[in-house]
Amino acid sequence: MDFELDRGIAVTPAGPGAFDVVLDPGWVVGGGVNGGYALALLGNAVRAELAEFGTPDPISLSAYFLSPTRPGPGRVQVRRLRTGGRRSTVSVSLVQEQDGNPVERITALATYGDLDSPAADVQRQIPPPELPPVEDCVEARFDSAEARRAAPLLDRFGTRLDPAYSGWAVGKPSGAGVIQGWFRLADERPLDPIALLLVVDALPPASFDLGLPGWAPTLQLTAHVRGRPAPGWARVRHATRNVSAGQFEEDCEVWDSTGRLVAQSRQLALLPRPSSPKVA
Amino acid sequence: MDFELDRGIAVTPAGPGAFDVVLDPGWVVGGGVNGGYALALLGNAVRAELAEFGTPDPISLSAYFLSPTRPGPGRVQVRRLRTGGRRSTVSVSLVQEQDGNPVERITALATYGDLDSPAADVQRQIPPPELPPVEDCVEARFDSAEARRAAPLLDRFGTRLDPAYSGWAVGKPSGAGVIQGWFRLADERPLDPIALLLVVDALPPASFDLGLPGWAPTLQLTAHVRGRPAPGWARVRHATRNVSAGQFEEDCEVWDSTGRLVAQSRQLALLPRPSSPKVA
């Protein structure tokens, strides 16, 4: 099968620990490349770099966003910090050329392992949220051609939002600071541990539900992959509980179609600035 | 004033981005150096390295633990990734010599800023837990000289645990996966943003309250400092909600004496292995 995400995160070896990549314009939102897509791309390069070690799966990845990632070519550099045991740890960064100079976009640390060893026996977990059936949820797409050009990635996501927390789309946020819904990739590529790095940053920011529309730049995101997802619709929940000094944290949990928690993440993001008044 | 923590996290410049340090044996627990103390040490080196940039405070720090930190000398290396704006981002690592070779103990990424700009107006936050008065809580100390030698850091912490979640100490864990209490440093050094990096890993692990005593090695810890703490007793809460495949996450929140949330962290840790049967 040939899926959009696999084309978008393909890596080409380019020397020790180095991989050439192309950030696909199809994963842009509002001029920048979606952070989750960029993390899946970094994650795929790390997976390639560690191929010989029997540690194929991201267990933990912590990314710091240094400058906005742009569509187009880039170079991923992976540096091995510890290999040879049950887990491998690396540093990884994405660099793009800008005005003739290399500029670091994202830098991250990651630990990889094998999610099948030990098998993911679940002793306790946060239960998945009760959601209306997929067909009763809200499809996150734009109808206008202009909006679709600004956020082409929405055509790649099969997000269905819980209507209880979708009122912000019509100016009526719930105020709870929650966004939740069903998620799959539009072309039904099965979710795997690398794709989960995308899923944790695929829904609209929880700040929308606080009545704060606009771009909420991520300063830092740490994802933990806790299990290999079963096929089918995943459930995703974003929530923020601490908003202060122009920043908020966004916690994300992802459950697979069997209801097992397979990923969790926390990001620290900047609150959107109030829109400037428009000059007619 | 001359406080133990300040002596323990002192750094001596040793070349570009490099700092000589001494890991104080007073912060050992069970043979290894406490992770929170090591993070405060790294955080202090970053603060020194960034002195010229007006970004004195840790905002976010993500650490990966590569090998057990030992008491004794070490070298902290800070690499500037982005400086010059309202926030500075660095990578930082702690190296110690072992059998004549340099071995990386901890590697981290961190973003620093100024917690006073913008001022920490709180729009929403997790409320602090209701705790019994300090004098009705359980002091986490050992009486026996042997136990005190194994965990001398407890003499440096002024931890008072909520009795509702301290039953594990007498073989009766609550099963909730919660540890909470009051915290200050024993010599009453005021808490500041650097000390908060210690506080987020200062309580016993939440796994104790699941009836799993023993060392729970941290794979990864990300801390967010959300405000400058007011003087006095802080409240700290650890909780785990997802335990699977031999791993658990531990979320930590810290509130200052005014009840404001000033730090939060999440770590991914390994469940303690069942103790080997003792041979008489």
Side-chain angles (χ1 to χ4, degrees):
Chain A
M1 291 290 290
D2 183 33
F3 294 112
E4 287 180 306
L5 181 61
D6 295 308
R7 287 197 299 276
I9 64 174
V11 301
T12 305
F19 297 89
D20 284 331
V21 299
V22 179
L23 283 293
D24 188 308
W27 299 89
V28 159
V29 53
V33 170
N34 171 253
Y37 162 63
L39 294 188
L41 182 66
L42 289 180
N44 203 35
V46 173
R47 182 184 169 100
E49 173 65 13
L50 296 175
E52 69 196 88
F53 295 107
T55 54
D57 303 313
I59 302 295
S60 177
L61 186 146
S62 300
Y64 283 67
F65 293 82
L66 299 170
S67 61
T69 302
R70 303 298 181 200
R75 168 70 61 95
V76 176
Q77 184 69 47
V78 185
R79 192 166 69 95
R80 300 176 187 180
L81 299 174
R82 191 185 59 183
T83 56
R86 291 176 52 198
R87 283 172 288 276
S88 306
T89 299
V90 301
S91 71
V92 53
S93 63
L94 170 66
V95 173
Q96 291 186 303
E97 216 167 88
Q98 184 173 307
D99 305 328
N101 299 310
V103 176
E104 205 160 2
R105 301 306 195 192
I106 304 175
T107 186
L109 294 168
T111 291
Y112 275 50
D114 181 349
L115 286 169
D116 297 325
S117 172
D121 65 306
V122 177
Q123 295 179 245
R124 68 162 56 199
Q125 70 160 36
I126 306 173
E130 296 286 334
L131 295 175
V134 170
E135 57 274 18
D136 293 341
C137 286
V138 180
E139 195 169 356
R141 296 180 72 135
F142 291 113
D143 289 330
S144 85
E146 185 192 1
R148 292 177 78 155
R149 270 195 300 275
L153 92 165
L154 291 183
D155 287 334
R156 276 150 195 86
F157 293 166
T159 313
R160 301 289 189 284
L161 297 174
D162 183 347
Y165 302 101
S166 310
W168 48 266
V170 291
K172 292 182 179 160
S174 85
V178 171
I179 304 270
Q180 63 184 28
W182 301 95
F183 183 88
R184 69 175 179 190
L185 289 161
D187 62 5
E188 299 188 38
R189 176 196 187 276
L191 298 179
D192 62 8
I194 298 292
L196 289 177
L197 300 175
L198 164 76
V199 178
V200 297
D201 201 25
L203 264 56
S207 45
F208 280 18
D209 190 48
L210 297 175
L212 299 164
W215 187 47
T218 303
L219 297 178
Q220 191 275 320
L221 185 152
T222 295
H224 295 159
V225 177
R226 303 297 299 270
R228 195 177 302 287
W233 285 97
R235 275 172 276 192
V236 186
R237 180 180 165 88
H238 283 193
T240 185
R241 297 178 298 170
N242 298 283
V243 181
S244 64
Q247 300 181 343
F248 67 107
E249 102 281 58
E250 180 168 276
D251 285 350
C252 171
E253 287 102 33
V254 182
W255 298 263
D256 72 8
S257 58
T258 71
R260 183 155 63 93
L261 183 125
V262 288
Q264 57 188 154
S265 74
R266 174 174 289 166
Q267 62 174 276
L268 185 65
L270 297 178
L271 286 176
R273 298 189 185 186
S275 316
S276 315
K278 283 190 185 154
V279 179
Chain B
M1 291 291 289
D2 181 33
F3 295 111
E4 286 180 307
L5 181 61
D6 295 309
R7 286 197 300 276
I9 64 174
V11 301
T12 305
F19 298 89
D20 284 331
V21 299
V22 179
L23 284 292
D24 188 308
W27 300 88
V28 158
V29 54
V33 169
N34 171 254
Y37 161 63
L39 294 188
L41 181 66
L42 289 181
N44 203 36
V46 173
R47 182 184 169 100
E49 173 66 13
L50 296 175
E52 70 197 86
F53 295 107
T55 54
D57 302 314
I59 303 296
S60 177
L61 185 145
S62 300
Y64 283 67
F65 293 82
L66 299 171
S67 61
T69 303
R70 303 299 180 199
R75 168 71 61 94
V76 176
Q77 184 68 46
V78 185
R79 192 166 67 94
R80 301 177 186 179
L81 299 174
R82 190 184 60 184
T83 56
R86 290 176 51 198
R87 281 172 289 275
S88 306
T89 298
V90 301
S91 71
V92 53
S93 63
L94 170 65
V95 173
Q96 290 186 303
E97 216 167 89
Q98 185 173 306
D99 304 328
N101 300 309
V103 176
E104 206 161 2
R105 300 306 195 192
I106 305 174
T107 186
L109 295 167
T111 290
Y112 274 52
D114 182 349
L115 285 169
D116 298 326
S117 172
D121 65 306
V122 177
Q123 295 178 246
R124 68 161 57 199
Q125 72 161 36
I126 305 172
E130 296 287 336
L131 295 175
V134 170
E135 57 273 19
D136 293 340
C137 286
V138 180
E139 195 169 356
R141 297 181 72 133
F142 292 112
D143 289 330
S144 84
E146 185 192 1
R148 291 176 80 155
R149 270 196 301 276
L153 91 164
L154 291 183
D155 286 334
R156 278 151 194 85
F157 294 166
T159 313
R160 299 291 190 284
L161 297 174
D162 183 347
Y165 302 101
S166 310
W168 49 266
V170 291
K172 293 182 179 159
S174 85
V178 171
I179 304 270
Q180 62 184 27
W182 300 96
F183 184 88
R184 69 175 180 191
L185 288 161
D187 62 5
E188 300 188 38
R189 176 197 188 273
L191 298 180
D192 61 9
I194 298 291
L196 290 176
L197 300 176
L198 165 76
V199 178
V200 297
D201 202 24
L203 265 54
S207 45
F208 280 18
D209 190 48
L210 297 175
L212 299 164
W215 187 45
T218 304
L219 297 178
Q220 191 276 319
L221 185 152
T222 295
H224 296 158
V225 177
R226 303 295 300 269
R228 196 177 300 287
W233 284 98
R235 273 173 278 192
V236 186
R237 180 180 165 89
H238 284 194
T240 185
R241 297 180 297 169
N242 298 283
V243 182
S244 64
Q247 300 180 341
F248 67 106
E249 101 281 59
E250 179 167 277
D251 286 350
C252 171
E253 287 101 35
V254 182
W255 298 263
D256 71 8
S257 59
T258 72
R260 184 155 63 93
L261 184 125
V262 288
Q264 58 188 154
S265 74
R266 174 174 291 167
Q267 62 174 275
L268 185 65
L270 298 179
L271 286 176
R273 299 190 185 185
S275 317
S276 315
K278 281 190 187 156
V279 179

